[in-house]
Amino acid sequence: MIDIRFIRENPEIVRASQRARGADENLVAEILAADEKRRQSLQAFEDKRAEQKALSREIGKAAKEDRPAVLAKAKALSDEVKSLETASGEAAEAFNTAMYKLPNIIVAGVPSGGEDDYTVLKQVGKIRDFAAEGFTPKDHLDVAEGIDGVDMARGTKVAGSRFYYLKGIGARLELALLTAAVDQAESYGFTMLTTPTLVNPEIMGGTGFLGAHADEIYYLPADDLYLTGTSEVALAGYHKDEIIDLANGPKRYTGWSTCYRREAGSYGKDTRGIIRVHQFNKVEMFSYCDPADAVEEHQRFLAWEEEMIAKAELPYRVINTAAGDLGSSAAQKFDCEAWLPTQNRFMEVTSTSNCTTFQARRLNIRHRSEIGTTPVATLNGTLATTRWLVAMFENHQQPDGSLYIPQALRPYLGGKEVIAPVAAAK
């Protein structure tokens, strides 16, 4: 949620942000009109209630012959106050509804446009020339099945399409990757949390996930709970309704959780293998910080993501995501995309978002600053996830079907340097 005072004082900035996102800029006028009606309704209610209280004090002082008239007036005022209170509540509800439609205000430097309008900030690492090495690379699923690391058929049998089993070395490799990510986060002062993967509507809505993409979320109506698509949701809710101490700098957490996404609207996209699935595991960074430090904290998150990708020895690029592809809560988002040889494209493996005070205002998370108690800023960033295996299988495959293990992950796999293919996986 955005500070209404900012919207009143800077309506054109908000409209420009909406235009950059490809969203409805008329929403700004709707919000301002609802705000004006809310304030007028509240003032009318409070004025009439003050009049009612003043009259109440006069009832006991009224002469006996005047009391019936005074009581009748008090009754009429009471009815009027109740009516104005109802109108004030309805105006406040309409205002809040309009405010919840407004996504975060983008920061300077975010490109306008949609999914394909990003800007590339840099590209890192050498892309392998498989032709020069004398062989055609297999796609990630063929590599994974060759080392008996993934079983898609039985995953589909048990749970349906886009489900899978990680098996043997595939499961161990994921565990190694996520554990290395947690170790790195801990070395930078993050506190690890294993988070709930079910949250209530207030937390899911407070983080901004119940907007345009709510159909991506699994919902359990019998319990009125949502399955989270990222531990960002539970991490953001951790300090709900609290005043936190940032005197010693940001409070940083890393969440390890299973994540669930319906992938609604993605029919036909990346249906082979484990690129776009309904369930996966992820290690997520999260920070509560002073809003004045949010841009610098965002750069730190990006650097930590790049450090982790370097440990996986993957060629990648960093993009500045366009406004229309940010999601409602982010003011800016950087994605790291690893090279996918068999598809001749880059594939997102991490993203980090600066959500400024948008989530904290909804969740009532504050800190004590020089000007009083004010909302904090929240930031999030992926440090490792199951999808990384896709890029690792493809980029680290060898001509004989074996898989090279990056040096940084070997201590988590008993020192293994190469995983040999399995003759006949069952």
Side-chain angles (χ1 to χ4, degrees):
M1 184 176 289
I2 309 302
D3 185 349
I4 184 58
R5 290 172 297 182
F6 180 88
I7 300 173
R8 290 180 200 141
E9 295 167 7
N10 304 278
E12 186 48 45
I13 291 177
V14 185
R15 291 189 187 98
S17 178
Q18 288 290 90
R19 288 194 296 271
R21 285 177 174 272
D24 183 11
E25 63 180 287
N26 293 323
L27 178 59
V28 180
E30 179 186 337
I31 288 171
L32 291 173
D35 175 46
E36 182 64 23
K37 185 174 182 180
R38 172 185 67 99
R39 289 193 288 168
Q40 289 178 352
S41 297
L42 180 60
Q43 188 63 56
F45 163 63
E46 290 179 342
D47 288 347
K48 192 60 66 174
R49 186 171 59 176
E51 184 181 342
Q52 180 190 34
K53 288 180 179 178
L55 182 62
S56 296
R57 290 192 292 268
E58 297 301 318
I59 292 175
K61 302 176 185 178
K64 184 177 181 180
E65 61 273 17
D66 297 330
R67 188 163 295 176
V70 174
L71 288 173
K73 184 177 180 181
K75 174 66 169 61
L77 265 177
S78 177
D79 291 343
E80 195 173 353
V81 166
K82 287 178 182 177
S83 176
L84 289 170
E85 184 177 21
T86 298
S88 178
E90 290 173 349
E93 185 176 349
F95 167 74
N96 287 330
T97 298
M99 285 288 283
Y100 264 74
K101 294 178 186 176
L102 185 68
N104 205 350
I105 309 302
I106 64 172
V107 302
V110 173
S112 298
E115 183 179 359
D116 298 324
D117 297 309
Y118 57 83
T119 56
V120 178
L121 300 180
K122 64 178 173 180
Q123 185 169 320
V124 180
K126 183 179 180 181
I127 293 174
R128 282 178 68 182
D129 185 347
F130 285 92
E133 295 181 36
F135 78 103
T136 300
K138 298 176 181 178
D139 79 358
H140 75 279
L141 185 56
D142 286 339
V143 175
E145 289 177 339
I147 59 173
D148 200 17
V150 173
D151 191 330
M152 297 296 302
R154 290 186 174 95
T156 300
K157 176 178 68 176
V158 168
S161 63
R162 298 184 190 260
F163 285 95
Y164 58 97
Y165 286 89
L166 290 181
K167 181 182 179 185
I169 192 59
R172 289 295 308 277
L173 188 57
E174 181 197 47
L175 184 61
L177 182 67
L178 298 181
T179 305
V182 169
D183 283 350
Q184 177 182 300
E186 188 175 70
S187 74
Y188 288 112
F190 284 77
T191 299
M192 180 182 170
L193 299 174
T194 53
T195 63
T197 57
L198 286 164
V199 300
N200 62 47
E202 190 174 8
I203 300 300
M204 186 64 81
T207 50
F209 283 92
L210 292 183
H213 298 287
D215 61 347
E216 295 285 340
I217 303 168
Y218 285 104
Y219 176 59
L220 284 66
D223 303 288
D224 195 23
L225 292 172
Y226 291 92
L227 278 167
T228 58
T230 169
S231 60
E232 172 196 342
V233 178
L235 293 169
Y238 188 65
H239 284 300
K240 182 182 180 298
D241 294 327
E242 295 181 24
I243 299 173
I244 60 178
D245 184 6
L246 298 180
N248 296 320
K251 293 184 77 69
R252 300 185 182 121
Y253 299 96
T254 183
W256 180 318
S257 75
T258 300
C259 307
Y260 304 89
R261 296 184 184 177
R262 292 186 62 240
E263 293 294 349
S266 65
Y267 181 79
K269 295 180 181 178
D270 295 322
T271 55
R272 179 172 165 79
I274 60 172
I275 296 178
R276 192 182 293 268
V277 291
H278 293 306
Q279 177 183 326
F280 56 94
N281 294 313
K282 182 158 69 113
V283 171
E284 182 85 354
M285 299 180 289
F286 197 88
S287 175
Y288 299 90
C289 75
D290 188 318
D293 299 330
V295 171
E296 185 178 352
E297 183 80 338
H298 200 195
Q299 290 296 325
R300 282 191 285 263
F301 268 42
L302 178 58
W304 288 326
E305 289 181 340
E306 290 189 72
E307 181 178 337
M308 190 63 207
I309 294 172
K311 290 175 180 175
E313 299 181 27
L314 296 172
Y316 68 96
R317 70 180 183 183
V318 179
I319 66 169
N320 188 7
T321 307
D325 197 32
L326 287 179
S328 65
S329 59
Q332 184 170 40
K333 179 162 74 82
F334 301 120
D335 287 351
C336 293
E337 300 180 328
W339 180 247
L340 203 57
T342 64
Q343 296 190 22
N344 196 38
R345 68 176 178 94
F346 286 95
M347 175 191 70
E348 179 199 328
V349 289
T350 79
S351 66
T352 177
S353 297
N354 176 7
C355 296
T356 61
T357 62
F358 184 85
Q359 294 175 329
R361 289 181 185 279
R362 292 180 173 216
L363 295 169
N364 190 32
I365 307 169
R366 296 153 292 153
H367 75 117
R368 290 186 175 87
S369 65
E370 294 178 355
I371 60 172
T373 302
T374 57
V376 301
T378 59
L379 298 97
N380 63 79
T382 312
L383 204 52
T385 184
T386 307
R387 182 182 282 191
W388 286 39
L389 297 180
V390 173
M392 293 172 65
F393 288 146
E394 293 210 1
N395 284 281
H396 297 328
Q397 63 182 291
Q398 303 301 304
D400 64 355
S402 63
L403 184 72
Y404 164 83
I405 301 300
Q407 292 188 22
L409 298 183
R410 293 173 188 173
Y412 302 94
L413 291 166
K416 290 185 176 69
E417 299 180 8
V418 175
I419 305 300
V422 176
K426 295 182 179 179

